[in-house]
Amino acid sequence: TKKEISLMPRSFEVVGDILIFSRFPKKLKKKEKLIGNKILSLLKNIKVIAIKSTKHSGRYRTNKIKIIAGEKRKITLHKENNILIKVDVEKCYFSPRLSTERLRISSLVKNENVLVMFSGVGVYCFTLAKTAKEVYGIEINPAAHKFALENLKLNKLNNVKLFKGDVKKVIPKLKIKFDRIIMPLPKDAYKFLDVALKVIKKNGIIHLYDFEEEKEIYKVVEKIQSNVKKFKVINIIKCGQFGARKWRICADFKVI
């Protein structure tokens, strides 16, 4: 009915050939399969329709995924910025909405040694590898690390090194200083700045991600101030809306 159509969520994301709704009204629960099959008939490149059944939660910030139509699988192959990414959308955190942001960071890298903390399935690492000298990625989620290793082979890159484990334990063992560090963990990434400072070169650049209210995006500077003695903010970028009046942002700053 027209009323039911008005209830349809407008927000979704596409990872490979899987279309995922962030939410779905309870009033349409009995119509999920009908709606899913209709979308499949309209979008020939989509093979799976799914719904996120929870918000990001747990140690690895993952979602439970419910398939409502199409093939019964949660693994797909996603293409972004000429990079191939194999990912399990339930076991790994991955956001296709950050593809432009990843390309922005890549454009800033000029033959540098780069560290990606919380590297997930490796998408930041592989995007940056095109312009970096060498990229190191560290990920604690064993499932994401497993896919990252597969993706490394898929993309045939020889300047990326991947490590599984807690950044606090892995970083001290690397014995290398970095020109640039990416911290793409929006929730509480600033709490790991002390670890990043131990391996950033003087005048090195850190890209710190955070969630902030629209009118308070500069609060991220206060978080940096509480952890870094001398720094210079280069840029603060909005990387996409995250809920009502809340943004995912990136603070680019130089450690002096």
Side-chain angles (χ1 to χ4, degrees):
T1 66
K2 287 185 178 180
K3 186 177 181 181
E4 287 172 330
I5 289 173
S6 70
L7 296 175
M8 275 291 295
R10 301 289 188 266
S11 176
F12 61 86
E13 60 186 25
V14 175
V15 181
D17 59 1
I18 302 178
L19 186 150
I20 309 170
F21 286 105
S22 298
R23 60 176 185 81
F24 216 82
K26 290 181 179 179
K27 291 182 179 179
L28 295 180
K29 188 171 180 62
K30 293 181 180 180
K31 300 286 182 78
E32 286 177 353
K33 189 172 182 179
L34 176 71
I35 292 166
N37 285 329
K38 183 62 178 177
I39 294 171
L40 288 173
S41 72
L42 295 171
L43 304 177
K44 301 303 180 185
N45 60 316
I46 300 298
K47 303 300 180 185
V48 182
I49 308 294
I51 300 171
K52 291 180 182 178
S53 58
T54 61
K55 292 183 178 181
H56 290 122
S57 62
R59 190 180 190 186
Y60 306 137
R61 296 192 68 247
T62 53
N63 292 103
K64 287 291 182 183
I65 300 292
K66 176 186 175 184
I67 295 173
I68 61 171
E71 298 175 13
K72 303 298 180 184
R73 60 176 167 84
K74 298 171 184 178
I75 295 175
T76 187
L77 191 64
H78 183 83
K79 189 173 183 180
E80 170 186 306
N81 301 324
N82 294 318
I83 297 294
L84 290 174
I85 297 294
K86 187 177 180 182
V87 60
D88 184 316
V89 295
E90 183 172 73
K91 293 181 179 178
C92 311
Y93 174 77
F94 174 76
S95 175
R97 298 180 183 184
L98 290 171
S99 62
T100 302
E101 169 62 9
R102 288 188 272 266
L103 202 58
R104 178 185 79 88
I105 301 293
S106 179
S107 70
L108 301 174
V109 176
K110 308 296 180 187
N111 196 36
E112 301 167 358
N113 286 326
V114 181
L115 171 64
V116 181
M117 298 166 68
F118 331 111
S119 54
V121 294
V123 61
Y124 265 96
C125 296
F126 309 139
T127 305
L128 301 178
K130 303 290 185 179
T131 52
K133 181 180 180 182
E134 198 164 45
V135 182
Y136 285 61
I138 305 172
E139 173 56 42
I140 196 170
N141 180 346
H145 178 70
K146 175 178 171 288
F147 279 103
L149 293 174
E150 286 190 49
N151 293 329
L152 181 58
K153 292 179 182 178
L154 268 178
N155 292 285
K156 299 176 181 178
L157 296 165
N158 56 16
N159 63 335
V160 176
K161 294 183 179 181
L162 300 170
F163 300 84
K164 181 180 73 173
D166 187 328
V167 293
K168 292 182 178 180
K169 295 178 180 179
V170 175
I171 285 177
K173 298 176 183 178
L174 296 180
K175 297 179 181 179
I176 183 174
K177 294 280 187 176
F178 296 94
D179 302 290
R180 192 179 299 266
I181 297 178
I182 323 298
M183 302 178 69
L185 178 73
K187 193 178 187 304
D188 298 335
Y190 69 95
K191 293 180 180 178
F192 295 85
L193 278 170
D194 61 327
V195 184
L197 291 175
K198 292 176 182 177
V199 288
I200 190 74
K201 291 180 181 178
K202 187 175 182 180
N203 294 319
I205 307 295
I206 293 179
H207 301 277
L208 176 71
Y209 290 80
D210 196 17
F211 287 137
E212 294 292 351
E213 298 291 334
E214 186 166 11
K215 294 181 180 180
E216 300 179 329
I217 63 170
Y218 290 96
K219 271 193 170 181
V220 68
V221 178
E222 295 175 12
K223 293 177 180 178
I224 298 170
Q225 282 177 332
S226 65
N227 291 278
V228 186
K229 289 182 179 179
K230 293 184 179 181
F231 66 96
K232 179 183 178 182
V233 175
I234 300 168
N235 216 341
I236 295 180
I237 303 288
K238 286 183 176 180
C239 308
Q241 202 159 358
F242 189 84
R245 297 180 297 279
K246 198 167 188 177
W247 289 82
R248 177 190 280 108
I249 63 167
C250 179
D252 306 340
F253 67 94
K254 179 184 290 189
V255 178
I256 302 171

